[in-house]
Amino acid sequence: DQQVKQNSPSLSVQEGRISILNCDYTNSMFDYFLWYKKYPAEGPTFLISISSIKDKNEDGRFTVFLNKSAKHLSLHIVPSQPGDSAVYFCAATSSGIGNQFYFGTGTSLTVIP
Amino acid sequence: EAQVTQNPRYLITVTGKKLTVTCSQNMNHEYMSWYRQDPGLGLRQIYYSMNVEVTDKGDVPEGYKVSRKEKRNFPLILESPSPNQTSLYFCASSLSITGVAFFGQGTRLTVV
């Protein structure tokens, strides 16, 4: 049973526009969320995280929003650049459920020049 | 350079032949884990370790073993590989459960 879901397998965006990647989760015990970016033939790299005590975290062009009541988080990339083309995974964890990480299935973002 | 090193990068083996995928990190991280990536399923955690001699099952531990005898190493052992273990495997380490995780470059395993 997938506890973290990314329902959009792919997304295409024009360069300079906003990319919005979405993630839903089912377990209300999750209290820490992360986004990773993955290029082909490489391991995932950390992008940004957010604790459940916050509803927004910003790092340069990347902002993560957390809506706990909806069990939903989103990653905004503004402005999008061709180098952002990659697969993005969201992940969730909680020390209250054994320190496991649960990843979504990923969204492949293509930024069109 | 801070890194997580996995070996081998590619491996083709036959059903039932025991194999080990090594993972080593040079960042003195406490938390290490193994994932497999399969199409349509994303990354699924196999095993994780909070510290030396402390390991625990992730989401898909069946058919795998791990050990954490030293802080830097976290090998993944497949005692009797089967074709359904054909996958892309990643090792990762972080300072803590909420720390930034560094991933290795992956090991593509094919079991025939």
Side-chain angles (χ1 to χ4, degrees):
Chain A
D1 183 33
Q2 197 82 21
Q3 297 195 49
V4 177
K5 299 176 186 177
Q6 293 176 257
N7 292 319
S8 298
S10 62
L11 175 68
S12 290
V13 170
Q14 290 284 341
E15 180 178 4
R17 307 293 291 267
I18 183 171
S19 294
I20 300 176
L21 294 90
N22 294 305
C23 180
D24 297 294
Y25 61 96
T26 57
N27 194 329
S28 58
M29 295 281 287
F30 289 146
D31 57 12
Y32 192 67
F33 305 88
L34 310 92
W35 284 93
Y36 286 86
K37 180 165 83 170
K38 185 183 180 303
Y39 294 117
E42 294 184 12
T45 54
F46 171 77
L47 198 54
I48 193 168
S49 62
I50 187 166
S51 161
S52 60
I53 62 172
K54 294 185 172 184
D55 54 22
K56 176 183 172 181
N57 189 26
E58 198 170 345
D59 184 2
R61 296 186 297 114
F62 303 92
T63 303
V64 56
F65 295 92
L66 176 62
N67 182 334
K68 287 188 291 292
S69 60
K71 296 192 182 72
H72 177 83
L73 63 156
S74 60
L75 174 69
H76 292 209
I77 306 173
V78 182
S80 301
Q81 299 173 354
D84 295 329
S85 296
V87 177
Y88 289 78
F89 292 98
C90 68
T93 189
S94 166
S95 58
I97 50 171
N99 301 305
Q100 273 184 251
F101 274 95
Y102 295 87
F103 279 78
T105 51
T107 296
S108 178
L109 172 66
T110 302
V111 180
I112 304 161
Chain B
E1 181 192 348
Q3 60 185 5
V4 177
T5 305
Q6 291 178 233
N7 279 298
R9 292 288 311 276
Y10 302 92
L11 179 60
I12 301 175
T13 190
V14 295
T15 299
K17 185 176 181 183
K18 180 180 178 179
L19 66 92
T20 300
V21 184
T22 63
C23 174
S24 181
Q25 50 95 1
N26 62 0
M27 295 165 279
N28 202 35
H29 284 169
E30 306 266 326
Y31 189 91
M32 295 186 76
S33 55
W34 277 101
Y35 298 87
R36 59 180 288 175
Q37 184 186 1
D38 301 291
L41 296 175
L43 287 158
R44 293 180 294 167
Q45 196 172 34
I46 302 170
Y47 268 95
Y48 62 95
S49 169
M50 298 291 288
N51 211 328
V52 174
E53 302 292 2
V54 181
T55 63
D56 215 336
K57 295 177 181 178
D59 228 12
V60 287
E62 294 79 21
Y64 304 95
K65 281 175 57 176
V66 292
S67 68
R68 187 93 182 269
K69 292 182 170 45
E70 307 162 281
K71 200 170 190 179
R72 62 181 294 126
N73 295 323
F74 191 45
L76 179 70
I77 303 154
L78 285 73
E79 294 269 3
S80 183
S82 62
N84 64 13
Q85 293 178 297
T86 293
S87 187
L88 178 57
Y89 291 86
F90 289 101
C91 178
S93 76
S94 59
L95 205 52
S96 68
I97 183 74
T98 55
V100 171
F102 292 79
F103 281 78
Q105 290 206 291
T107 295
R108 186 164 291 283
L109 172 66
T110 302
V111 184
V112 297

